[in-house]
Amino acid sequence: MNVTVRPELLSWARNRASLTVAELAQRVGTAKNPAPIAEWESSGVPVVMPVRKLELIAEKTRVPFGMLFLSEPPVEKLPVKDFRRPIAGGTQKPSLNLLDTLLENELRKSWLSEQLQSDGEEPLEFIGSATTNSDIQNLAAEIRTKLRITTTDRAANRKNADAVLWMIGRLEESRITAIRKGFAGSATRRSLDRTEFKGFALADPFAPFIFINGKDWIGSQMFTIAHELVHLWLGISAMPSGDWFSPSDEPIEQFCNQVAAEILMPADEVAALWQANQTARQNSEKIAQRFKVSSLALLFRARNTGLITERVLQATRQELQAAFEAVEPESKSGGGNFYNNAGIHLGKRFIREVLTRTLEGRTLYSEAFDLLGTRKTSVLHEMAQKFL
């Protein structure tokens, strides 16, 4: 049996899956006899092919089969406010990896929220408690106090990577599920692109989630956490612009950046540590170590608080950028022990909530498998040994 499909739908499905023509041709055909994907896409007329071949294309591109029969490619939008900057030539379309990651965490958030509400849990009073008219310093101080993320405690961590994990732990203690992951689903080969997004926040009064792209620079991950916390206090589920150092056209993003900077690098503390007899680079590198942020972030903070001029910032920025990328490699979120990584990739609190309900018979094993990304009962029991 043959079916007819528009060539633009084939191109859309392939691009959505981030596959080249050659890659899809081999996956649908064979290395010696690849499918004529390029010919089909460039034909300009509806393509007739066996239904099994189209089913294979849908499978390899992870597109619902029925969508390939639409009259034109759908415009997929994120189910959260998308503050990412448009790229040249149009809007920044979300990749399949981003869509799957967002959907996966949205489903987990919804499940946990329903469970906590049915248990009679009280909503978290801080979700949606702020507005963009809130005082920046007061709000930053409130967030630091509520989550117990003081600069003194953060400074006690030896490295930036340790401080990120410490921050995640503090969030989880306050019923915020914090997830850091560098790939989509359970396939480590589906690497997330740090240039596409740095993280996102899912605001919910019972089960707020923060996701951190584990492929991003460690120094940037700290700012992502702080920025997303502000989104939660505003009660806004959002995908941030991710450009922490450029002025934003979005008032909400500008506000979140200002509060995040004050959370991590309080203006009065930065001023007290700044040494007039040292260069901007020396000050930025030394003070950044205390706050466990990148020296580049500290340099911009110094400019924004009047400690240095724009001219000094621009003169120092390039050398600090190079130094930052040399000493702050991207996080290695793949590999290692599965059970140790699970606490980071799923959130320890979330794992405990799923396992407790499953072992008590309140959640089906089949549902627990979907929520935790496994198909083995033995894995669930091993996770119970580690996390309960």
Side-chain angles (χ1 to χ4, degrees):
M1 176 181 175
N2 290 335
V3 292
T4 303
V5 61
R6 293 178 177 272
E8 56 266 34
L9 267 298
L10 296 175
S11 297
W12 165 78
R14 178 180 58 78
N15 288 319
R16 181 176 181 270
S18 301
L19 295 173
T20 66
V21 170
E23 287 171 340
L24 183 58
Q26 289 194 6
R27 294 186 186 190
V28 175
T30 65
K32 292 184 177 180
N33 186 27
I37 300 297
E39 180 183 335
W40 290 340
E41 289 188 10
S42 62
S43 65
V45 297
V47 179
V48 178
M49 67 176 70
V51 65
R52 177 59 191 140
K53 184 67 69 175
L54 190 60
E55 288 175 341
L56 192 57
I57 291 175
E59 176 188 335
K60 298 303 181 182
T61 58
R62 300 175 64 88
V63 168
F65 181 65
M67 294 184 73
L68 294 175
F69 293 98
L70 296 174
S71 58
E72 59 184 17
V75 177
E76 294 182 291
K77 296 182 179 180
L78 297 177
V80 298
K81 287 186 177 294
D82 188 359
F83 291 117
R84 295 175 305 152
R85 295 176 183 273
I87 57 176
T91 58
Q92 187 170 351
K93 298 178 181 178
S95 69
L96 179 58
N97 286 348
L98 171 52
L99 287 169
D100 283 353
T101 298
L102 191 51
L103 178 60
E104 178 182 64
N105 285 282
E106 178 69 41
L107 291 173
R108 287 171 174 161
K109 183 267 295 179
S110 296
W111 176 88
L112 183 55
S113 181
E114 291 176 5
Q115 296 296 317
L116 293 175
Q117 290 182 64
S118 66
D119 286 350
E121 285 278 2
E122 293 294 325
L124 296 167
E125 77 284 353
F126 58 82
I127 301 296
S129 63
T131 72
T132 52
N133 293 321
S134 298
D135 180 82
I136 290 173
Q137 289 189 326
N138 289 342
L139 180 55
E142 176 188 326
I143 294 174
R144 285 197 303 268
T145 301
K146 179 66 179 180
L147 304 180
R148 298 188 301 113
I149 50 175
T150 66
T151 55
T152 300
D153 288 340
R154 186 153 33 94
N157 291 278
R158 191 169 64 89
K159 298 187 298 185
N160 286 11
D162 299 330
V164 168
L165 293 178
W166 174 84
M167 284 278 283
I168 289 174
R170 283 288 197 257
L171 268 59
E172 296 248 320
E173 290 174 5
S174 297
R175 227 170 82 191
I176 299 172
T177 300
I179 296 167
R180 187 180 69 173
K181 196 176 178 185
F183 55 90
S186 58
T188 55
R189 67 180 181 279
R190 297 182 61 193
S191 182
L192 299 179
D193 184 356
R194 68 169 176 260
T195 65
E196 182 180 24
F197 79 108
K198 292 180 178 294
F200 54 81
L202 300 177
D204 184 281
F206 293 90
F209 270 52
I210 285 179
F211 184 92
I212 306 113
N213 187 342
K215 285 298 182 182
D216 197 15
W217 307 108
I218 288 292
S220 181
Q221 289 179 27
M222 180 64 79
F223 205 93
T224 297
I225 294 172
H227 182 101
E228 302 308 339
L229 282 173
V230 187
H231 275 304
L232 295 185
W233 252 257
L234 293 173
I236 298 174
S237 296
M239 180 82 62
S241 65
D243 190 350
W244 308 138
F245 305 133
S246 298
S248 176
D249 297 329
E250 296 284 350
I252 290 175
E253 287 299 273
Q254 184 175 354
F255 178 79
C256 288
N257 281 342
Q258 291 172 336
V259 178
E262 181 65 21
I263 290 172
L264 298 176
M265 300 165 283
D268 57 346
E269 294 187 34
V270 174
L273 293 168
W274 195 269
Q275 300 294 315
N277 61 345
Q278 295 185 351
T279 66
R281 175 172 180 175
Q282 289 172 329
N283 271 303
S284 296
E285 290 179 333
K286 182 178 180 180
I287 300 173
Q289 291 177 10
R290 171 174 172 76
F291 295 130
K292 297 299 180 291
V293 296
S294 70
S295 54
L296 197 60
L298 202 292
L299 182 73
F300 274 84
R301 185 63 170 153
R303 189 277 307 272
N304 293 341
T305 54
L307 291 171
I308 60 173
T309 63
E310 179 68 22
R311 182 184 62 80
V312 172
L313 180 142
Q314 295 301 332
T316 313
R317 178 179 184 175
Q318 188 172 356
E319 56 183 293
L320 273 183
Q321 180 77 45
F324 164 64
E325 295 183 0
V327 302
E328 292 285 353
E330 65 182 42
S331 174
K332 306 299 182 183
S333 62
N337 181 277
F338 169 80
Y339 298 102
N340 289 337
N341 288 336
I344 300 173
H345 295 165
L346 295 169
K348 293 178 180 179
R349 180 183 177 85
F350 180 78
I351 292 174
R352 287 194 292 268
E353 295 284 359
V354 174
L355 291 176
T356 298
R357 286 169 171 75
T358 303
L359 296 178
E360 290 177 351
R362 293 188 287 159
T363 295
L364 296 175
Y365 269 78
S366 58
E367 187 173 25
F369 289 153
D370 291 336
L371 291 168
L372 298 179
T374 182
R375 289 295 166 194
K376 296 181 179 179
T377 304
S378 60
V379 172
L380 260 64
H381 290 163
E382 285 289 335
M383 292 176 78
Q385 290 292 322
K386 179 174 178 61
F387 294 103
L388 293 182

